[in-house]
Amino acid sequence: MKKQQFASDNYAGICPEALAAMAEANSGHARSYGDDEWTSRAADSLRRLFDRDCEVFFVFNGTAANSLALASLCYSYNSVICATAAHVETDECGAPEFFSNGSKILAVPGENGKLTPQSIRAIATGRSDIHFPKPRAVTITQPNELGITYSIEEVQAISAVCRELGLKLHMDGARFANACASLGVSPAEASWKAGVDVLCFGGTKNGMATGEAIIFFDRSLATDFDYRCKQAGQLASKMRFLAAPWVGMIENGAWLKNAEHANACAKRLAARLEGLPYIARVYPVNANSVFLNAPTPILEGLHQRGWHFYTFIGGAARFMFAWDADPAEVDRLADDVIAEVKAFGK
Amino acid sequence: MKKQQFASDNYAGICPEALAAMAEANSGHARSYGDDEWTSRAADSLRRLFDRDCEVFFVFNGTAANSLALASLCYSYNSVICATAAHVETDECGAPEFFSNGSKILAVPGENGKLTPQSIRAIATGRSDIHFPKPRAVTITQPNELGITYSIEEVQAISAVCRELGLKLHMDGARFANACASLGVSPAEASWKAGVDVLCFGGTKNGMATGEAIIFFDRSLATDFDYRCKQAGQLASKMRFLAAPWVGMIENGAWLKNAEHANACAKRLAARLEGLPYIARVYPVNANSVFLNAPTPILEGLHQRGWHFYTFIGGAARFMFAWDADPAEVDRLADDVIAEVKAFGK
Amino acid sequence: MKKQQFASDNYAGICPEALAAMAEANSGHARSYGDDEWTSRAADSLRRLFDRDCEVFFVFNGTAANSLALASLCYSYNSVICATAAHVETDECGAPEFFSNGSKILAVPGENGKLTPQSIRAIATGRSDIHFPKPRAVTITQPNELGITYSIEEVQAISAVCRELGLKLHMDGARFANACASLGVSPAEASWKAGVDVLCFGGTKNGMATGEAIIFFDRSLATDFDYRCKQAGQLASKMRFLAAPWVGMIENGAWLKNAEHANACAKRLAARLEGLPYIARVYPVNANSVFLNAPTPILEGLHQRGWHFYTFIGGAARFMFAWDADPAEVDRLADDVIAEVKAFGK
Amino acid sequence: MKKQQFASDNYAGICPEALAAMAEANSGHARSYGDDEWTSRAADSLRRLFDRDCEVFFVFNGTAANSLALASLCYSYNSVICATAAHVETDECGAPEFFSNGSKILAVPGENGKLTPQSIRAIATGRSDIHFPKPRAVTITQPNELGITYSIEEVQAISAVCRELGLKLHMDGARFANACASLGVSPAEASWKAGVDVLCFGGTKNGMATGEAIIFFDRSLATDFDYRCKQAGQLASKMRFLAAPWVGMIENGAWLKNAEHANACAKRLAARLEGLPYIARVYPVNANSVFLNAPTPILEGLHQRGWHFYTFIGGAARFMFAWDADPAEVDRLADDVIAEVKAFGK
């Protein structure tokens, strides 16, 4: 791919800080399966970052991170409450059901693709008979699949209803760093201080080659989780290479810098397109994505100009920015949109 | 870990060829989930290496590779025949049963930790009632967990009985390169030409950071296997970084060079210890490991000299050599063994 | 429970024909696990009834019948399309996901709780990427959970789209006999002649103590299904007692007589309530249930008069009639409704 | 089957007491899914029989009872320790692995097919690394598959080591009544007083059409077990018919009378064959089975005389007596063995 595309933040490569740490880790021998110094150091870095003596596990990707975390909270006969837009419902090919051996996903519609205390309460208390899988966990994506953040107050309110109803709160943080950057809060404030029990902190979209961290703020929830990872094919033998990028990105702040940059690029595009006729921004731009509704000829014109992007339900086009987004390219995209709008308006 | 250890070939890092390819792949943007040029190129490299238009999938680790491959061959009510020493039986924490939702592992004892046509036939035909999980696949490890290779003729004979009995033949090739190097045969001769249906070709022990290739020689066996990988958390979003090391290691022969070097180090140690009193080599040295029986004081002496190693059933100490084993260190280990033997003999 | 209730057709006992067959089967010894004469005879009775050399399996209940049948059609990464009202979606506590190890249920809204060729096509073709579980089966309930039958033409149209899209068609026939009675068609016309691939024919609601028959019209779909039943805890050791009631009910037509009677009782109640103010019949009365919308005081009055019934989404009260419904009691219920309506109207 | 056979105690029908209770239960309407009076009464009968306020669940068969009970004690990454002869290992087609989603069965050889505190300790403490599924439960069959009982002292000793090692003790009591009869102890003494945590009490072999009771002596282990049963297809809608036979058999002592009779028939055969040349009784006759080693011509002669029986590992023929065994037929079998021995001796 010659030029940058904003179809997905998975199109970007490895950021320098992650790569340097991998290279540094590649010196000499290290014990395997996580019994090495890099893994300890990465876990400690995360503990410091979250200001909490949490349990940390490093796995290969987000599908596994979320599915394993939810499976550890549920039995097969339990259910997991999420928004209809949630990645675990729409884009995991049944992974949560597979890892949990049948926990049902209860997908709840809601404004801006969000769960609310009310919607959680309604679904969690609507049925209590044995024929309905007993609700046991709630998962929210932060920022969510529409690029929208939950405010800290919203997370707290959701957490409160979870606690009241005996539900555990899981946060899918595939882009957790972008949420922290957007909300201007610390990782601790965005997670356990707001009542999150388990967080899947995404490393891949943040700038690594691969890797997510599963963080249990309540250590008792992590009992034997290492066995679960092993059995599910998520224990790296040369774990240092999964751990080192976390060290590299946390210790010098790249995790946040990357997120801030990506968010800024989204805002840059949004600002450039503000007030344009025919173009409607569908959701608030809280993180690193911009969803646009536009007439088909405009979208086709952008495709013809070489831009890749996905269109979603209702036809909205998504543009998503990674740690390496080039502002000049963002501007070029904006220019092209403007040109298409002009052409369309004629 | 300051100095080299020979406790495991997972202690080694990333070989230069794999690392260079990762670095080269880290340029610009690439489509995600395997729809990129590196993934195509890696699959094509493997097809050329195996001289076969096979189906290739890249997953994160060996647990997943073997378990997914076996799950794709079996239904939950089927069984998988393996040797009692097989890694899928002894060291996967129930992963094959987990991925297959219950396929039972039928572990069969045998000389040198090997299956034979006779032992396969006996277990596969011993029961045919509905209360016994119907045998459906055979898995052999090449070289096996005791560092012993199956000869091509042995694989052919096993394959013949598999075909006769309607069983699929899977090869756990966590150290497949070492087997090719040891047997002096091509990958094709060691696999599909000898009747193997599915091979898990290990990249990690061969010199990568992480990654295994699942190779279906019969493409019809691979139907929808990509969905299986996705659901099981084994689809990398930035797949290029899982694929590129294969390109790096295959295109310049590092896969074989690394294996030859590791095997040579095992032979070097074995040769140095040949004829020593008190020391008994337990198994033939076919690949990159040496198993030694020795009096406890000798083994303890080695531990005190700073050597890490595992002891297995019957007390044998295993020494295992990676792509980066330093012959000088191998010699130092040999020297230390000899010194301990002398001390013990006094 | 002193008097009859119409809350569920599961409240009824064993009909005389089923009981007599169980008693007759209880003579002397019989081979176990289905290798007995009653099991053969029951399967043959079903083959004659369906005019087809189908494969027949007897299992304990409907949860297992539907879940095992769907699991045999799907891999874990597949999905099953059903109506949002479908029992497999709403009332099986995740059993289909459990038996299949993760096949996702795709629940589709539709008028009268029915699937249509259009709704099936929309969901089945809406996504074809690897992140979405590949649709593989469609299940329709006949009559459905709202007591409404699919016409033969509707089933044929659904079957046609299934065939076109490579989907298998499963019929949840928990009350299949009621559908045959209502539609006035033969079991063959209602199933395989209309394109159904697998039918779960309910025996329990039809008058047995327990037991459902899984009928594969395409024998190739039933390969090794006996192993699947065994592994899933659905193989009865004294199978004759699960099989004999089928003989008893089929050979003398009780299966149809029971269904006709139950349907007639539903129509009897509906006729009595026709034109009453404040009372709205929610769905057409095709089978053995009547759904009524009524003001809360009326429903509460009925409860106070000792009537048990469930209220569903939107508040509709369901009355359901079994093989043993006493017309006098149906009339008494109608009288009570009328009395409550009068009281409410004052 | 014209005449009685002693191949299996599953060949017998329903005993009068169970049948009478089913008939009595078949009167009028009853609430479904266990919310009926017969189910309460059956559970209370078992609580009185066991002198314990235990949690009781009724399921359809032994495969499900044992597999669900073990699944409730384990996570998928745990393992279950049993004897190599255990039914859960040899004859459940992978059901325990299926219900638990991968818990590995660790089958341990032992004299007379029994586990011992020593063998449990050895396997449970032999490995503690993450690659080995963490032992979590022990299951013993009482009487075991060779017709041998564990003494109360043996169960206590096993329980003690379980408690010490943090393992739960499950008892597969498919023929639990026969054990109580043989040992001359109460159900309480044979179970929770000896340290059993969960018992699967077999009703089918004891004289019912179908049905097993899962009894949790520690109620906390039964949390949400009803959901587990429902999801796994083991919740009967017309539960009264699964429950009533327990009432019938417990309240008048048929459960014990049946077992005593079956045991006595086994002893009767054994006594008749005592001291015969060529015939070797393989195991002590503690319960309702007799295993005989005999020259092939003798066994073939018995087959030719119309006797059905299974031969097991090592060629032993098993004769097994049910609640309805006719002593005259037992004598006829003994006569035929004696005749064959005489013929062979010539």
Side-chain angles (χ1 to χ4, degrees), chain A residues 89 91 93 97 104 131, chain C residues 89 91 93 97 104 127 131:
Chain A
E89 166 69 5
D91 281 275
C93 197
E97 294 90 340
K104 202 167 177 71
H131 309 285
Chain C
E89 166 68 4
D91 281 274
C93 198
E97 293 90 340
K104 202 168 178 71
R127 294 267 304 263
H131 308 285

Side-chain angles (χ1 to χ4, degrees), chain D residues 182-231:
Chain D
S182 174
L183 294 166
V185 298
S186 73
E189 289 167 324
S191 59
W192 64 272
K193 287 188 177 173
V196 173
D197 293 301
V198 189
L199 168 70
C200 293
F201 186 169
T204 314
K205 294 179 198 325
N206 200 208
M208 301 181 188
T210 191
E212 317 281 302
I214 305 174
I215 304 176
F216 290 89
F217 299 111
D218 175 353
R219 294 183 77 109
S220 73
L221 293 175
T223 305
D224 287 339
F225 192 77
D226 45 352
Y227 284 88
R228 195 179 285 276
C229 290
K230 165 68 195 185
Q231 186 181 37

Side-chain angles (χ1 to χ4, degrees), chain B residues 158-225:
Chain B
I158 284 173
S159 164
V161 78
C162 286
R163 260 156 243 280
E164 178 195 332
L165 300 175
L167 305 168
K168 295 296 173 189
L169 181 56
H170 166 263
M171 180 174 277
D172 175 350
R175 299 179 183 92
F176 179 72
N178 302 80
C180 292
S182 173
L183 295 166
V185 298
S186 73
E189 289 166 325
S191 59
W192 64 271
K193 287 187 177 173
V196 173
D197 294 301
V198 188
L199 168 70
C200 293
F201 184 169
T204 314
K205 295 180 200 320
N206 200 208
M208 300 181 189
T210 191
E212 316 281 303
I214 306 174
I215 304 175
F216 290 89
F217 299 111
D218 174 354
R219 295 183 78 110
S220 73
L221 292 176
T223 306
D224 287 339
F225 192 77

Side-chain angles (χ1 to χ4, degrees), chain A residues 76-77 89-94 97-98 101-102 104-105 127 130-133, chain C residues 76-77 89-94 97-98 101-102 104-105 127 130-133:
Chain A
S76 62
Y77 49 79
E89 166 69 5
T90 62
D91 281 275
E92 294 296 15
C93 197
E97 294 90 340
F98 174 78
N101 198 24
K104 202 167 177 71
I105 304 291
R127 294 267 305 263
I130 204 176
H131 309 285
F132 188 75
Chain C
S76 62
Y77 49 78
E89 166 68 4
T90 63
D91 281 274
E92 295 295 15
C93 198
E97 293 90 340
F98 174 79
N101 198 25
K104 202 168 178 71
I105 305 291
R127 294 267 304 263
I130 204 176
H131 308 285
F132 188 76

